[in-house]
Amino acid sequence: MNLLVDFFLFICYHKYMKFEKQKDGILVKNSEEFDAQNFLECGQLFRYRKNDDGSYVVLSKNNEAKVYKIGEDWKIETEAVEYFVNFFDLKTDYAKINKRLCDGELMNAAIKFGEGIRLVNNDFLETIFSFVISANNRIVRIKRVVENLCKGAGTKLLSGEFAFPTIKQLNEKDLDFFESLGAGYRGVYLYKLSRELADFDELVFENLSTDEARKLLIKFSGVGPKVADCVLLFSLGRRNVFPVDTWVEKIYHKYFESGIKSRNKMREFLIEKFGDDAGYAQQYLFYAQRMKGDKRII
DNA sequence: TCCCAGGCAAGGC
DNA sequence: GCCTTGCATGGG
């Protein structure tokens, strides 16, 4: 009986975002929970491009999609339908998450600002390389270096776009190649990382706690606490992490505590505060503050 | 010219 | 464990 009541309530009140798989892609229907522009431009991935007509080309691993708005709906045109359903995290109920996060003025404003952000489920290899490149770097330049990496080592697809290189392709390249990408001193990290990952099976993460996975990630070249958290968040589905970078430091000092603390202490504080929703909170706050610059979110 | 960017590695304590 | 320093590159 209780089960029946639950089911009834589920049907009536639990409004999951509607999306429809089609033969040439996915249609995300009139939803406040999906906005491709905010999703793509909030800094969680680097392989996208905006066309003159406002549509986006999105690349991940060896998959590609064209994303554009039709009226109030979003079309994700792709051959890799299942891949992008997972990539855009379409099966997760963000209305529910946002409701949990809306506990005050700051989060209300950040969620409103980044309406339609979702956390990407990206390829592990692509994510770890991308975020090693991201360290102490600027987003436009990160994008350029990642693109150089794909064009230099990846397979050319029929469309003319390039796939992210496989670990085998990366291992066929020497140190000079990695140093020619424009990555600066990170070139040698990328070279070492490719060797370290040559025989690595990412499935080992499945049996590890988030802390254990984090410790393992930090052993790789160019991966420190912040990059590890980004890999956990954007490719390993761990939402109970809070990557702390320069922007989060600013956020921390503006809206939380003003005492000078280490990044690690900030991270511990923010994880304690947001718990299993830490990753979502981080992405909303990061995006809003980065777009606002020195101005306040509230 | 100086400062900074989704930090990390290495070394000292 | 915590703190400091040096680090390629390029845009403001």
Side-chain angles (χ1 to χ4, degrees):
Chain A
M1 189 58 190
N2 278 336
L3 214 64
L4 263 177
V5 173
D6 283 347
F7 183 69
F8 180 75
L9 290 173
F10 175 83
I11 296 298
C12 290
Y13 299 110
H14 208 74
K15 201 183 71 178
Y16 273 108
M17 187 181 68
K18 291 189 186 118
F19 67 93
E20 190 178 289
K21 294 178 200 171
Q22 302 176 325
K23 62 177 185 299
D24 66 338
I26 307 156
L27 190 68
V28 182
K29 296 201 166 179
N30 186 16
S31 173
E32 294 174 355
E33 295 170 54
F34 181 87
D35 184 280
Q37 180 166 337
N38 285 343
F39 177 98
L40 295 169
E41 297 187 357
C42 73
Q44 56 182 337
L45 54 106
F46 305 101
R47 290 217 294 152
Y48 66 89
R49 194 174 64 239
K50 194 170 191 174
N51 293 319
D52 291 337
D53 63 2
S55 67
Y56 287 91
V57 174
V58 185
L59 301 160
S60 173
K61 201 174 178 181
N62 57 345
N63 302 294
E64 54 190 309
K66 185 179 176 186
V67 183
Y68 50 92
K69 217 162 183 185
I70 306 176
E72 294 302 309
D73 303 336
W74 282 95
K75 176 74 184 231
I76 302 166
E77 201 176 291
T78 181
E79 292 176 6
V81 171
E82 289 305 327
Y83 186 88
F84 282 104
V85 166
N86 181 51
F87 180 89
F88 286 107
D89 205 23
L90 296 183
K91 290 181 179 171
T92 300
D93 183 359
Y94 279 73
K96 205 166 160 184
I97 292 161
N98 293 344
K99 208 168 182 179
R100 288 200 298 266
L101 285 173
C102 274
D103 68 338
E105 212 184 334
L106 177 65
M107 285 312 300
N108 284 338
I111 291 170
K112 178 100 178 141
F113 185 91
E115 187 174 73
I117 284 180
R118 314 171 71 79
L119 289 182
V120 70
N121 293 306
N122 210 346
D123 177 62
F124 169 71
L125 192 64
E126 182 166 333
T127 304
I128 193 168
F129 270 83
S130 298
F131 279 92
V132 166
I133 293 165
S134 81
N136 197 26
N137 212 339
R138 286 171 201 275
I139 288 181
V140 282
R141 191 162 157 242
I142 300 164
K143 289 179 71 172
R144 192 163 58 226
V145 175
V146 173
E147 194 177 344
N148 290 343
L149 185 58
C150 295
K151 284 183 176 166
T155 303
K156 192 171 187 176
L157 305 170
L158 288 175
S159 63
E161 305 287 350
F162 283 84
F164 194 86
T166 63
I167 190 61
K168 187 165 176 296
Q169 288 172 322
L170 291 168
N171 273 278
E172 286 164 1
K173 298 294 184 182
D174 59 14
L175 179 58
D176 282 348
F177 169 77
F178 290 97
E179 291 194 323
S180 71
L181 298 172
Y185 61 87
R186 308 166 198 82
V188 65
Y189 299 157
L190 301 177
Y191 169 75
K192 286 186 184 173
L193 183 61
S194 67
R195 270 58 188 175
E196 291 160 3
L197 288 172
D199 296 308
F200 182 77
D201 185 356
E202 64 184 271
L203 290 178
V204 301
F205 289 118
E206 289 185 4
N207 297 317
L208 301 181
S209 69
T210 300
D211 278 344
E212 289 167 339
R214 192 166 185 271
K215 279 178 187 151
L216 177 56
L217 282 166
I218 288 174
K219 290 180 182 171
F220 290 108
S221 291
V223 180
K226 190 271 176 182
V227 171
D229 283 338
C230 287
V231 174
L232 288 166
L233 187 56
F234 302 134
S235 78
L236 296 176
R238 308 298 177 107
R239 309 311 199 199
N240 56 340
V241 296
F242 204 113
V244 179
D245 69 332
T246 53
W247 290 103
V248 172
E249 271 188 9
K250 288 173 190 168
I251 289 164
Y252 187 85
H253 290 129
K254 275 183 199 287
Y255 315 108
F256 295 94
E257 295 183 357
S258 55
I260 301 167
K261 287 183 176 178
S262 66
R263 284 192 173 189
N264 191 44
K265 293 292 181 192
M266 291 180 197
R267 178 183 140 263
E268 286 174 358
F269 175 89
L270 292 162
I271 286 178
E272 178 70 21
K273 174 164 175 58
F274 292 105
D276 288 342
D277 292 326
Y280 303 103
Q282 185 274 164
Q283 201 55 29
Y284 283 121
L285 290 170
F286 167 82
Y287 182 54
Q289 192 64 65
R290 186 169 69 82
M291 300 308 278
K292 297 268 187 187
D294 289 331
K295 293 185 196 159
R296 294 183 66 89
I297 300 171
I298 52 168

